[in-house]
Each structure stands twice: as structure tokens, then as C-alpha cells.
Amino acid sequence: MPYCVHCGVELNPAVKTCPLCGTAVNDPAACPAEDRPSFFPTRRAEVAPVTRNAAALLITSMLASVSLCCALLNLVLKPQYQWNLFVVGAAVMLWIWFVLPLLVNRWVPVWIRLTFDVGAVAVYVALIALAMNGWTWFRGLAVPILILAAVEVCALGWLLRRGHSVLTTVTLSLTAMGMFCVGVEACGDLYFYGEWSPVWSLVVLATCMGLCIPLLVIRRVPSLREEVRRRFHF
């Protein structure tokens, strides 16, 4: 093997210059470069991207294997309750969140996708209730909160279906967040005490409304709106 006369690095017989220092290689006894394969790649290549179906299959197999292992372990240990349902529920929820969009090739409205996400959470909570024999709190507390979340998600997705500015999106999201907190406290108070006594949710709602007011002002004043877009690249 030849060596570079400048830096001493070992060279491949087919190279014309040292790959380390760039010194030209002059070896009269060397064979022509065409007779020997190049030591380094001669053309740029890229790794083929993973298909959506392949990614969906990989994630599905991972979630299924974890669920199966936990189910077998739960069967061997024989506890008082089926804790493996927690893992199975989480796997189902993650599958709906990440794998189902990969399998759906056509465009799906945002509100439909968000509804499926809320449904995944409902399945997870239902499996927890099944594992802990908690159907009472599931029907009286979890179901109303999940219905409230589904309604707000559908309403927000419908309002944003045609695309809006960042300011409008943030304003609607903050409003929905404040209303959701009020609904959650109402469901909890009615379930535990039989009456609604709003406290913390009104603080959250007032905070969200306080944040929305400047956004509405910025949205209505063109000069402020352009300044915000320039500074934050909206």
C-alpha cells in the first residue's frame, strides 16, 4: 500500500489525492484508476425513506409485544386485579394516536382526528375502570368529562377547519381551555358533592380571558398585528 509523502497516511492505490491533506499522489508504478475499485464512494446515495405501512407495522408490533408480555406476566403473578389492562389501554391509545393516521392515506378533517384521539383516551380510562372495578366513577365522572372534551374538540376543529391566523387559533384555544376547566370542575363537584361550587376553574377561565383580550386587540389593530408578525415570524 502506498503512503502520502506529506502526512504519511496509508493510501488506496486508486486515489489521486490524499484524502487527509489533499496532496497529489504520483506513483508511476500504480495501475490505472479504472482497473481498481475506488476506496471511497464515487457517487452520492441516500437511504430510501421508510414507507407509512412499514412504520405502522413496526409500531404495531412493538405495542403488541409489550402488551402480550405484560399480559403473560400478569397471568403468571396472578394479582388481585388485572394491572396489565393499564398497559394494554396505553398501547391502544398510542396505536390510535400514531398508527391509525399512518394507515389512512386520504386527508381527514382535523375535528375527526381529534375526536378519535379523545376516543382513545376514553378507551384507556374504560380499561382502567375495568381493571379496578370502577364503573361507578367511570359513568358518573369520566364519561361526562370525556363527552365535554369531545364536544369542545369538535367545536374547535370545526371553527378552525378553514385555517386561521396564529392569533385567532391561540385565542380560540385559550377560550376552549378555560371553558373545559369550568366543565371539569362542574362534573367533579356534581359527582362528589351533588352541587356545583366553582372556585379554581373561574380563576383559570379569567386568566384565559385576560390573555385573549390583548390578542383580540392585536388582531383588530393592523399596525400591532404587522409588528407581531415581523417580530415572531407569524
Side-chain angles (χ1 to χ4, degrees):
M1 295 289 289
Y3 296 88
C4 177
V5 296
H6 180 71
C7 63
V9 70
E10 188 176 7
L11 302 174
N12 183 273
V15 298
K16 294 294 186 181
T17 58
C18 175
L20 183 61
C21 64
T23 303
V25 177
N26 298 315
D27 186 2
C31 297
E34 301 83 35
D35 297 341
R36 293 177 177 270
S38 176
F39 185 75
F40 301 98
T42 57
R43 64 183 180 87
R44 183 177 180 180
E46 296 181 357
V47 179
V50 179
T51 62
R52 296 167 62 93
N53 291 335
L57 179 61
L58 175 61
I59 299 175
T60 301
S61 61
M62 294 171 61
L63 295 175
S65 61
V66 172
S67 301
L68 180 60
C69 291
C70 291
L72 294 176
L73 183 61
N74 197 172
L75 183 63
V76 172
L77 297 179
K78 297 180 180 179
Q80 296 180 352
Y81 61 92
Q82 298 294 323
W83 58 265
N84 68 294
L85 293 179
F86 300 162
V87 181
V88 174
V92 173
M93 183 175 62
L94 293 175
W95 190 90
I96 296 176
W97 284 358
F98 299 109
V99 179
L100 190 59
L102 295 175
L103 298 177
V104 179
N105 294 323
R106 65 184 186 88
W107 181 82
V108 179
V110 175
W111 68 272
I112 293 181
R113 287 182 289 175
L114 294 177
T115 302
F116 272 97
D117 293 340
V118 175
V121 177
V123 171
Y124 185 36
V125 177
L127 289 176
I128 293 177
L130 177 63
M132 303 182 66
N133 296 322
W135 289 113
T136 302
W137 64 262
F138 178 77
R139 291 191 299 267
L141 182 61
V143 170
I145 294 177
L146 291 170
I147 292 176
L148 175 64
V151 171
E152 287 211 5
V153 163
C154 291
L156 188 62
W158 184 79
L159 291 174
L160 300 176
R161 68 190 186 283
R162 295 182 178 178
H164 292 276
S165 64
V166 176
L167 294 177
T168 302
T169 302
V170 173
T171 302
L172 292 175
S173 300
L174 288 173
T175 304
M177 183 185 304
M179 296 177 61
F180 179 73
C181 290
V182 173
V184 169
E185 187 178 26
C187 293
D189 288 346
L190 292 174
Y191 177 76
F192 290 108
Y193 309 113
E195 61 179 1
W196 180 35
S197 300
V199 181
W200 62 268
S201 62
L202 294 182
V203 177
V204 177
L205 180 61
T207 303
C208 292
M209 294 299 99
L211 293 174
C212 289
I213 292 174
L215 296 178
L216 292 175
V217 173
I218 293 174
R219 185 174 181 273
R220 292 296 180 181
V221 179
S223 59
L224 291 176
R225 185 171 64 249
E226 294 301 324
E227 181 66 19
V228 171
R229 288 180 178 177
R230 185 180 66 82
R231 288 182 176 272
F232 298 98
H233 306 287
F234 285 167

